[in-house]
Amino acid sequence: MSESVKNDGEKIDLGPRVASYPMPVSLVGANVDGKANFLVAAWFMSAAISPPRVAVALNKSHYTNRGIKENKAFSVCVPSVDLIDAADYCGLVSGFKADKSEVFEVFYGKLGTAPMISECPVCMECKLEKVVDNGGHEMFIGEIVSTFTEENYLTCGVVDLKKVKPFMLSFNDRLYVELGKSIAKAWNAGKDYKP
Amino acid sequence: MSESVKNDGEKIDLGPRVASYPMPVSLVGANVDGKANFLVAAWFMSAAISPPRVAVALNKSHYTNRGIKENKAFSVCVPSVDLIDAADYCGLVSGFKADKSEVFEVFYGKLGTAPMISECPVCMECKLEKVVDNGGHEMFIGEIVSTFTEENYLTCGVVDLKKVKPFMLSFNDRLYVELGKSIAKAWNAGKDYKP
């Protein structure tokens, strides 16, 4: 991230393109036919704050989707960089072809049917609220009912990303990228900005 | 990001929490009453690939929302770290209180009513497809009709994040964080993984 590039104002249109920005990597969990299955996914976001909701967009071809709909439950787990090989495996190998229930140590929360990953620093347990049809993808919107973590990953009671060590997907060059250093305070850096 | 923390297996439930993961920062643009307005937003994701779509979740209280609905058009622009103060300003100051049409140099694409930011390395021009009601937030799903960038930000014809220098929001500690180094190849790192 050391190159210094200047905007020269000459715009070109690449056409309709997704993912020209870094995306956080997660593992989405669902029980399919009673067995835990996990899919690596970077198309997810916070969708509402009260109650807290998360949205995940998955290609309709994925094995995971049926499990989410059957159980009306899923999880979004945040892997640390230490889990990068296992996470990537869960994107390379479909649940249609391999049983992924033994890849991680699995636990369940209050919903009972949203499998989560013990090895992941953060897991959000979600109750399915809505399915939005987006053509080739469907979007699952879930209410977050629990956020599981461990004392080790907290600072002053909240999840500390410096301890979690999540990673991002740079889609175009097919690379996983770690987080760098903090560079400014949010809701603060622009206080003295004069347009 | 240098601390090494080990998972100790003792899970605790923090309750329903959003945003315990890094989120890419964007500026969402819309014309409101004929004037360009921009809002900083980290709740967005790729939502479909064919045609390419993006989803943005915005609190219903925002000024921007009415403009998106009126014009059925919006943009998602990716600022570089050089624009961090201006981007943060667009989160601190509402369009209800300040005219933000002069903060950036604005340009338009084929839709004519989705304002984009010349200074941003990447801008996605979006045609509104769907609005999903998520309680306090509404989610705008748009078809990406154009992706504007500059030759300087490309490597082999695709957007190169090392040149774009986007930044992420770490919500809990209210910090902006830059991207770090590449650590593995996606769709590859897990090839030899044995569960």
Side-chain angles (χ1 to χ4, degrees):
Chain A
M1 296 289 144
S2 58
E3 288 182 67
S4 185
V5 173
K6 277 287 159 209
N7 188 305
D8 68 5
E10 285 293 324
K11 297 296 178 192
I12 50 178
D13 181 2
L14 300 178
R17 294 281 179 99
V18 289
S20 303
Y21 44 85
M23 300 178 288
V25 175
S26 76
L27 287 154
V28 172
N31 269 7
V32 186
D33 298 332
K35 271 193 167 175
N37 185 72
F38 297 98
L39 170 70
V40 76
W43 294 16
F44 74 99
M45 67 173 182
S46 299
I49 205 157
S50 181
R53 290 190 178 114
V54 69
V56 181
L58 299 180
N59 194 295
K60 287 179 182 173
S61 67
H62 287 309
Y63 184 71
T64 306
N65 301 30
R66 181 163 60 85
I68 296 177
K69 287 186 247 184
E70 277 177 7
N71 296 292
K72 300 198 182 312
F74 64 98
S75 72
V76 179
C77 301
V78 182
S80 69
V81 294
D82 306 328
L83 297 172
I84 207 159
D85 292 355
D88 192 67
Y89 170 83
C90 290
L92 286 169
V93 178
S94 167
F96 285 114
K97 299 204 170 166
D99 176 358
K100 289 187 268 185
S101 64
E102 308 280 323
V103 177
F104 304 104
E105 189 182 302
V106 175
F107 71 100
Y108 291 86
K110 62 182 71 151
L111 299 176
T113 53
M116 289 173 282
I117 298 173
S118 294
E119 295 90 331
C120 281
V122 177
C123 294
M124 289 165 277
E125 183 186 15
C126 305
K127 186 174 71 178
L128 181 64
E129 287 255 317
K130 215 175 268 185
V131 183
V132 179
D133 191 323
N134 268 338
H137 279 63
E138 47 200 353
M139 187 190 294
F140 299 99
I141 302 173
E143 181 182 333
I144 303 171
V145 298
S146 292
T147 307
F148 290 99
T149 187
E150 295 170 29
E151 198 63 45
N152 292 346
Y153 300 113
L154 300 179
T155 296
C156 301
V158 296
V159 170
D160 185 339
L161 296 186
K162 288 185 294 301
K163 298 176 178 176
V164 169
K165 295 191 287 171
F167 54 97
M168 319 293 300
L169 173 63
S170 174
F171 183 82
N172 285 330
D173 47 14
R174 301 167 74 89
L175 290 171
Y176 294 125
V177 181
E178 64 181 1
L179 279 179
K181 62 180 191 300
S182 303
I183 48 174
K185 288 186 185 172
W187 295 285
N188 183 286
K191 268 188 181 161
D192 298 323
Y193 184 79
K194 298 273 175 277
Chain B
M1 296 287 142
S2 58
E3 289 183 66
S4 185
V5 173
K6 275 288 157 207
N7 188 305
D8 68 5
E10 287 292 326
K11 295 297 177 191
I12 50 177
D13 181 3
L14 300 179
R17 295 281 179 98
V18 288
S20 304
Y21 44 86
M23 300 178 289
V25 174
S26 76
L27 287 155
V28 172
N31 269 8
V32 186
D33 297 332
K35 271 193 166 176
N37 186 72
F38 298 98
L39 170 69
V40 74
W43 294 17
F44 74 100
M45 66 173 183
S46 299
I49 206 157
S50 181
R53 290 190 177 114
V54 69
V56 181
L58 299 180
N59 193 295
K60 287 179 181 173
S61 67
H62 287 308
Y63 183 72
T64 306
N65 301 29
R66 180 163 59 86
I68 296 177
K69 287 186 249 186
E70 278 177 5
N71 296 293
K72 301 199 183 313
F74 63 99
S75 72
V76 179
C77 300
V78 182
S80 71
V81 296
D82 306 328
L83 296 172
I84 207 160
D85 292 355
D88 192 67
Y89 170 83
C90 290
L92 287 170
V93 178
S94 167
F96 285 114
K97 298 202 171 165
D99 175 357
K100 291 188 268 185
S101 65
E102 307 281 322
V103 177
F104 304 104
E105 188 183 304
V106 175
F107 72 99
Y108 291 86
K110 62 181 73 151
L111 300 176
T113 53
M116 289 173 282
I117 298 173
S118 295
E119 294 91 330
C120 281
V122 177
C123 294
M124 289 165 278
E125 183 185 18
C126 305
K127 184 173 72 177
L128 181 64
E129 286 258 314
K130 214 175 271 185
V131 183
V132 179
D133 191 323
N134 268 338
H137 280 64
E138 47 199 355
M139 186 190 293
F140 299 99
I141 302 173
E143 181 182 333
I144 303 170
V145 298
S146 291
T147 306
F148 290 97
T149 187
E150 295 169 30
E151 197 63 44
N152 291 347
Y153 301 113
L154 300 178
T155 296
C156 300
V158 294
V159 170
D160 185 339
L161 297 187
K162 288 186 293 303
K163 298 176 178 175
V164 170
K165 295 192 287 170
F167 55 98
M168 319 292 301
L169 173 63
S170 175
F171 182 82
N172 285 328
D173 46 16
R174 301 167 74 88
L175 290 171
Y176 294 125
V177 182
E178 65 181 1
L179 278 180
K181 63 180 190 299
S182 303
I183 48 174
K185 287 186 184 170
W187 295 283
N188 183 288
K191 266 189 181 163
D192 298 322
Y193 184 79
K194 298 273 176 278

mmCIF file of all heavy atoms in Angstrom, chain B residues 8 22 28 53 56 70 98 111 119 131 134 155 163 166-167:
data_model
loop_
_atom_site.group_PDB
_atom_site.id
_atom_site.type_symbol
_atom_site.label_atom_id
_atom_site.label_comp_id
_atom_site.label_asym_id
_atom_site.label_seq_id
_atom_site.Cartn_x
_atom_site.Cartn_y
_atom_site.Cartn_z
ATOM 1 N N ASP B 8 -9.315 -18.775 23.432
ATOM 2 C CA ASP B 8 -9.243 -19.698 24.566
ATOM 3 C C ASP B 8 -10.492 -20.575 24.697
ATOM 4 O O ASP B 8 -10.620 -21.363 25.636
ATOM 5 C CB ASP B 8 -8.963 -18.948 25.872
ATOM 6 C CG ASP B 8 -10.132 -18.068 26.298
ATOM 7 O OD1 ASP B 8 -11.193 -18.112 25.640
ATOM 8 O OD2 ASP B 8 -9.984 -17.339 27.287
ATOM 9 N N PRO B 22 -14.270 -5.033 10.149
ATOM 10 C CA PRO B 22 -13.938 -3.803 9.427
ATOM 11 C C PRO B 22 -14.866 -3.596 8.238
ATOM 12 O O PRO B 22 -15.259 -4.562 7.579
ATOM 13 C CB PRO B 22 -12.508 -4.068 8.941
ATOM 14 C CG PRO B 22 -12.368 -5.559 8.925
ATOM 15 C CD PRO B 22 -13.303 -6.126 9.932
ATOM 16 N N VAL B 28 -21.812 7.973 -0.451
ATOM 17 C CA VAL B 28 -23.010 7.709 -1.249
ATOM 18 C C VAL B 28 -23.554 9.048 -1.740
ATOM 19 O O VAL B 28 -23.746 9.973 -0.943
ATOM 20 C CB VAL B 28 -24.066 6.960 -0.410
ATOM 21 C CG1 VAL B 28 -25.388 6.858 -1.162
ATOM 22 C CG2 VAL B 28 -23.550 5.566 -0.039
ATOM 23 N N ARG B 53 -24.912 -5.582 -8.933
ATOM 24 C CA ARG B 53 -25.726 -4.725 -8.070
ATOM 25 C C ARG B 53 -24.968 -4.434 -6.788
ATOM 26 O O ARG B 53 -24.142 -5.221 -6.337
ATOM 27 C CB ARG B 53 -27.032 -5.432 -7.703
ATOM 28 C CG ARG B 53 -27.993 -5.574 -8.859
ATOM 29 C CD ARG B 53 -29.350 -6.064 -8.356
ATOM 30 N NE ARG B 53 -30.301 -6.139 -9.467
ATOM 31 C CZ ARG B 53 -30.823 -7.271 -9.940
ATOM 32 N NH1 ARG B 53 -30.526 -8.424 -9.387
ATOM 33 N NH2 ARG B 53 -31.675 -7.240 -10.954
ATOM 34 N N VAL B 56 -26.980 -0.656 -0.259
ATOM 35 C CA VAL B 56 -26.546 0.330 0.734
ATOM 36 C C VAL B 56 -27.646 0.448 1.779
ATOM 37 O O VAL B 56 -28.812 0.620 1.422
ATOM 38 C CB VAL B 56 -26.357 1.727 0.075
ATOM 39 C CG1 VAL B 56 -25.885 2.745 1.098
ATOM 40 C CG2 VAL B 56 -25.389 1.657 -1.089
ATOM 41 N N GLU B 70 -36.398 9.888 -5.214
ATOM 42 C CA GLU B 70 -36.935 10.812 -6.220
ATOM 43 C C GLU B 70 -36.320 10.578 -7.598
ATOM 44 O O GLU B 70 -37.016 10.578 -8.607
ATOM 45 C CB GLU B 70 -36.676 12.270 -5.801
ATOM 46 C CG GLU B 70 -37.703 12.785 -4.809
ATOM 47 C CD GLU B 70 -37.403 14.208 -4.345
ATOM 48 O OE1 GLU B 70 -36.442 14.848 -4.873
ATOM 49 O OE2 GLU B 70 -38.123 14.671 -3.448
ATOM 50 N N ALA B 98 -26.421 21.608 5.949
ATOM 51 C CA ALA B 98 -25.377 22.249 5.129
ATOM 52 C C ALA B 98 -25.491 21.797 3.677
ATOM 53 O O ALA B 98 -25.878 20.663 3.395
ATOM 54 C CB ALA B 98 -23.997 21.896 5.672
ATOM 55 N N LEU B 111 -26.913 8.226 -16.319
ATOM 56 C CA LEU B 111 -28.217 8.417 -15.688
ATOM 57 C C LEU B 111 -28.539 9.904 -15.523
ATOM 58 O O LEU B 111 -29.711 10.291 -15.433
ATOM 59 C CB LEU B 111 -28.277 7.727 -14.319
ATOM 60 C CG LEU B 111 -28.059 6.207 -14.305
ATOM 61 C CD1 LEU B 111 -28.058 5.686 -12.863
ATOM 62 C CD2 LEU B 111 -29.138 5.485 -15.118
ATOM 63 N N GLU B 119 -12.755 13.504 -7.391
ATOM 64 C CA GLU B 119 -11.560 13.202 -6.588
ATOM 65 C C GLU B 119 -11.496 11.733 -6.147
ATOM 66 O O GLU B 119 -10.452 11.281 -5.675
ATOM 67 C CB GLU B 119 -11.532 14.090 -5.334
ATOM 68 C CG GLU B 119 -11.363 15.581 -5.610
ATOM 69 C CD GLU B 119 -12.697 16.313 -5.770
ATOM 70 O OE1 GLU B 119 -13.685 15.686 -6.224
ATOM 71 O OE2 GLU B 119 -12.747 17.505 -5.444
ATOM 72 N N VAL B 131 -36.171 -0.890 -2.917
ATOM 73 C CA VAL B 131 -35.950 -0.356 -1.571
ATOM 74 C C VAL B 131 -36.499 -1.380 -0.588
ATOM 75 O O VAL B 131 -37.646 -1.807 -0.707
ATOM 76 C CB VAL B 131 -36.673 1.000 -1.363
ATOM 77 C CG1 VAL B 131 -36.356 1.573 0.028
ATOM 78 C CG2 VAL B 131 -36.286 1.996 -2.446
ATOM 79 N N ASN B 134 -36.051 -1.948 6.448
ATOM 80 C CA ASN B 134 -35.377 -2.703 7.513
ATOM 81 C C ASN B 134 -35.583 -2.039 8.867
ATOM 82 O O ASN B 134 -34.665 -1.950 9.668
ATOM 83 C CB ASN B 134 -33.871 -2.770 7.219
ATOM 84 C CG ASN B 134 -33.516 -4.010 6.437
ATOM 85 O OD1 ASN B 134 -34.234 -4.984 6.450
ATOM 86 N ND2 ASN B 134 -32.384 -3.953 5.763
ATOM 87 N N THR B 155 -4.393 -1.699 -12.901
ATOM 88 C CA THR B 155 -3.265 -2.575 -13.226
ATOM 89 C C THR B 155 -3.849 -3.678 -14.096
ATOM 90 O O THR B 155 -4.826 -4.338 -13.699
ATOM 91 C CB THR B 155 -2.622 -3.154 -11.951
ATOM 92 O OG1 THR B 155 -2.073 -2.072 -11.179
ATOM 93 C CG2 THR B 155 -1.506 -4.132 -12.284
ATOM 94 N N LYS B 163 -3.370 1.045 -5.461
ATOM 95 C CA LYS B 163 -3.317 2.399 -6.010
ATOM 96 C C LYS B 163 -4.484 3.261 -5.509
ATOM 97 O O LYS B 163 -4.338 4.467 -5.323
ATOM 98 C CB LYS B 163 -3.315 2.332 -7.541
ATOM 99 C CG LYS B 163 -2.085 1.602 -8.095
ATOM 100 C CD LYS B 163 -2.140 1.460 -9.612
ATOM 101 C CE LYS B 163 -0.877 0.765 -10.147
ATOM 102 N NZ LYS B 163 -0.976 0.518 -11.610
ATOM 103 N N PRO B 166 -8.049 2.738 -0.424
ATOM 104 C CA PRO B 166 -9.301 2.953 0.313
ATOM 105 C C PRO B 166 -9.034 2.797 1.812
ATOM 106 O O PRO B 166 -7.925 2.419 2.210
ATOM 107 C CB PRO B 166 -10.179 1.811 -0.187
ATOM 108 C CG PRO B 166 -9.210 0.716 -0.502
ATOM 109 C CD PRO B 166 -7.953 1.393 -0.988
ATOM 110 N N PHE B 167 -10.006 3.076 2.637
ATOM 111 C CA PHE B 167 -9.837 2.854 4.077
ATOM 112 C C PHE B 167 -11.104 2.256 4.655
ATOM 113 O O PHE B 167 -12.168 2.286 4.042
ATOM 114 C CB PHE B 167 -9.413 4.133 4.808
ATOM 115 C CG PHE B 167 -10.317 5.320 4.598
ATOM 116 C CD1 PHE B 167 -11.293 5.650 5.526
ATOM 117 C CD2 PHE B 167 -10.182 6.114 3.470
ATOM 118 C CE1 PHE B 167 -12.124 6.764 5.339
ATOM 119 C CE2 PHE B 167 -11.000 7.217 3.262
ATOM 120 C CZ PHE B 167 -11.976 7.538 4.195
#
